[in-house]
Amino acid sequence: MSSPTGQSRTYPTYQSGSGWNAMLPPRAARSAAPPERRVKYLVVGAGYTGLAAARRIAELRPQDRVLVVDATVAGEGSAGRNSGFLINLPHNTRMSGHHSPLQVARKQIAMFQAGLDWLAQLSQQGGFDCGWDVAGKYHAAATPGGERNLRAALAQYRDWGVDYTELDRDALRAALGTGYYRFGYHSMNNVFVQPAALIRGLADTLPENVWLMEDNPVLSIAGAGPYRVGTRAGEYVADNVILANNAFARRLGFLRSRLITIYTYAGVTPVLDPARQAQLGERDQWGVIPANRLGTTLRRIRGGRFMVRSAYSYEAEQPMPRVAQMLRAAFERRYPDLGAYDFEYVWSGSTALTRNGASFVGQVRPGLYASVGCNGAGVIKGTIYGKLLGELVAGQRSAMLDDLAAFEKPNWLPPDPLRRLGVLGAIALQARKAGLER
């Protein structure tokens, strides 16, 4: 059994709560144990992937219990710590075999649109408010290198048949309230949500044969089927286990050479006064994706708050005072005249990266499945991958499952200390390349 401290810990813990969750009314955790210790299906992780897999299995196998176990409570985990962008375009279009990147992109676009449509349907049927807003997204560059990156992305958009509007410095200043950026574009391929409200709503509207057990981390998985799953509340036996805990799957002994844990950071201001809000552009909600992966993401949140997200760290959080200072500097560079740089909430969130940007979705061994390695784009991707994995576990087959099975798998990663040195070196290099995009 793994130690509860250090890098051997089998679940994430955080120095501070999710700001998104803190903005919502308190919610009581569902921590009661199920009536039986033996289940047909056990899902590790109640994020977008785990809940999608559990929901789909429960729909296809209504006679069976699906147990979902999560280390924290809905809204406080990684699913409630992202920036709330639901982008339905691909980030990685590589695939093994003989398919072209354009073919892969079209397959991914169809998948991600299906995931977005499913989320919209679930939120409407569930009757919960997650701030769903079809507002699109901006991409903006502050440097010549960033502009080159964005123009290359637009060449892909043209190949994919995606509509967009190019924006020069003046147009960006009007839209965003800052002259910091030199070039950008806007596309409608994004929906904004309040991520903690979305994951809470999905958790609270599961089918009746799904038993959600929050605040109960999985500490070990043993056996070869049925599996003995050790949790803080005792051991459960499952015929099928679905790993939906991203990089922490390797802390339980699976896919160790494929995943790394990365922490990213966000800060949200208090509600700004009307004069400051008036300086933030024409729309009451918008978001900016940076031109470099280690750049700074911005989001003007409907209701008057402002979010800044930036930076990576490997395997462990940075001290929150240092993070707040870094985020404040990114804010000040873009809005030197705003005069309101303190954040009401500062937090981190963990995600899983792979060497080649590919996810693992499928069977690890008989009766044990995983959908992990979201590479920082987990809301829609996690939703549709979890749904498809649930169908695979339940014995369904489809053309979309075949497409998913053909996608490239995560590359091998060397063990530590080589892994740590390589990742830290890559982060430092990308930070230098990012420059003023940070």
Side-chain angles (χ1 to χ4, degrees):
M1 187 173 293
S2 300
S3 166
T5 60
Q7 287 197 25
S8 61
R9 191 181 60 237
T10 59
Y11 56 95
T13 61
Y14 298 103
Q15 298 174 54
S16 57
S18 162
W20 292 113
N21 205 37
M23 295 177 208
L24 299 174
R27 173 186 176 277
R30 296 168 61 177
S31 56
E36 66 278 335
R37 290 280 174 174
R38 176 72 182 262
V39 293
K40 183 80 170 177
Y41 305 99
L42 188 148
V43 179
V44 181
Y48 299 106
T49 303
L51 293 184
R55 184 184 297 273
R56 192 62 180 135
I57 293 169
E59 290 173 348
L60 295 170
R61 295 288 182 267
Q63 72 280 7
D64 292 320
R65 172 92 71 191
V66 183
L67 174 60
V68 182
V69 182
D70 196 87
T72 185
V73 299
E76 280 298 334
S78 298
R81 291 172 175 267
N82 61 76
S83 299
F85 289 69
L86 275 58
I87 300 172
N88 64 340
L89 294 177
H91 290 55
N92 176 25
T93 57
R94 289 173 290 191
M95 180 190 280
S96 57
H98 304 288
H99 297 271
S100 72
L102 182 56
Q103 287 175 306
V104 176
R106 287 173 175 163
K107 293 176 186 294
Q108 290 182 331
I109 289 169
M111 276 187 197
F112 298 159
Q113 186 60 51
L116 183 62
D117 291 344
W118 198 45
L119 279 176
Q121 176 187 338
L122 293 175
S123 65
Q124 291 166 4
Q125 291 177 346
F128 57 86
D129 179 13
C130 60
W132 193 274
D133 183 9
V134 185
K137 59 182 170 53
Y138 293 95
H139 292 247
T143 64
E147 181 174 344
R148 287 193 294 273
N149 290 344
L150 294 191
R151 291 191 182 278
L154 288 181
Q156 282 193 318
Y157 275 31
R158 290 191 290 273
D159 287 343
W160 299 346
V162 173
D163 293 331
Y164 61 87
T165 301
E166 288 191 33
L167 302 164
D168 61 15
R169 190 184 298 272
D170 289 340
L172 287 167
R173 181 184 290 108
L176 309 178
T178 175
Y180 190 78
Y181 298 107
R182 56 183 284 151
F183 174 78
Y185 62 89
H186 181 268
S187 77
M188 289 303 298
N189 301 89
N190 173 66
V191 174
F192 284 118
V193 295
Q194 212 284 24
L198 175 58
I199 197 66
R200 280 191 188 193
L202 293 171
D204 291 339
T205 57
L206 289 165
E208 290 185 0
N209 57 323
V210 177
W211 190 286
L212 174 60
M213 197 174 181
E214 301 172 78
D215 199 23
N216 183 32
V218 171
L219 305 175
S220 64
I221 299 176
Y227 293 91
R228 301 190 311 278
V229 180
T231 77
R232 191 159 60 195
E235 185 174 273
Y236 294 86
V237 177
D239 296 319
N240 299 276
V241 171
I242 296 91
L243 299 174
N245 57 341
N246 232 350
F248 286 82
R250 68 183 178 86
R251 306 282 183 89
L252 291 168
F254 305 100
L255 301 166
R256 285 177 172 171
S257 62
R258 298 293 186 268
L259 303 166
I260 61 172
T261 307
I262 291 291
Y263 289 80
T264 63
Y265 303 91
V268 168
T269 68
V271 175
L272 302 177
D273 62 56
R276 290 190 174 98
Q277 291 186 44
Q279 298 179 56
L280 293 174
E282 302 160 339
R283 305 184 185 194
D284 63 354
Q285 177 153 249
W286 50 257
V288 174
I289 305 294
N292 180 283
R293 187 164 192 169
L294 262 70
T296 294
T297 298
L298 305 177
R299 179 174 168 186
R300 182 179 181 183
I301 303 167
R302 180 166 292 136
R305 296 181 185 269
F306 197 85
M307 187 207 78
V308 181
R309 189 176 197 98
S310 194
Y312 281 6
S313 63
Y314 174 65
E315 292 289 346
E317 293 180 295
Q318 296 294 313
M320 285 300 112
R322 183 191 305 169
V323 168
Q325 184 178 17
M326 178 270 298
L327 295 173
R328 188 177 299 112
F331 194 5
E332 289 176 339
R333 283 194 296 273
R334 289 157 175 81
Y335 295 94
D337 300 324
L338 197 63
Y341 307 124
D342 290 328
F343 299 107
E344 184 172 354
Y345 307 107
V346 177
W347 71 92
S348 76
S350 68
T351 190
L353 300 189
T354 62
R355 187 175 181 180
N356 58 342
S359 300
F360 181 93
V361 187
Q363 183 172 269
V364 180
R365 61 176 64 160
L368 193 141
Y369 304 82
S371 178
V372 296
C374 71
N375 289 282
V379 182
I380 293 182
K381 184 189 294 184
T383 296
I384 190 60
Y385 285 5
K387 181 176 186 284
L388 290 170
L389 184 62
E391 293 174 0
L392 176 67
V393 173
Q396 297 287 302
R397 293 294 181 269
S398 68
M400 196 170 283
L401 261 175
D402 291 341
D403 290 339
L404 181 58
F407 287 175
E408 187 178 31
K409 303 299 187 291
N411 286 349
W412 177 84
L413 287 160
D416 281 332
L418 292 178
R419 179 184 300 186
R420 172 177 288 275
L421 291 172
V423 173
L424 292 178
I427 290 174
L429 175 62
Q430 289 301 317
R432 286 196 297 273
K433 286 183 176 181
L436 291 175
E437 307 295 350
R438 298 186 73 189

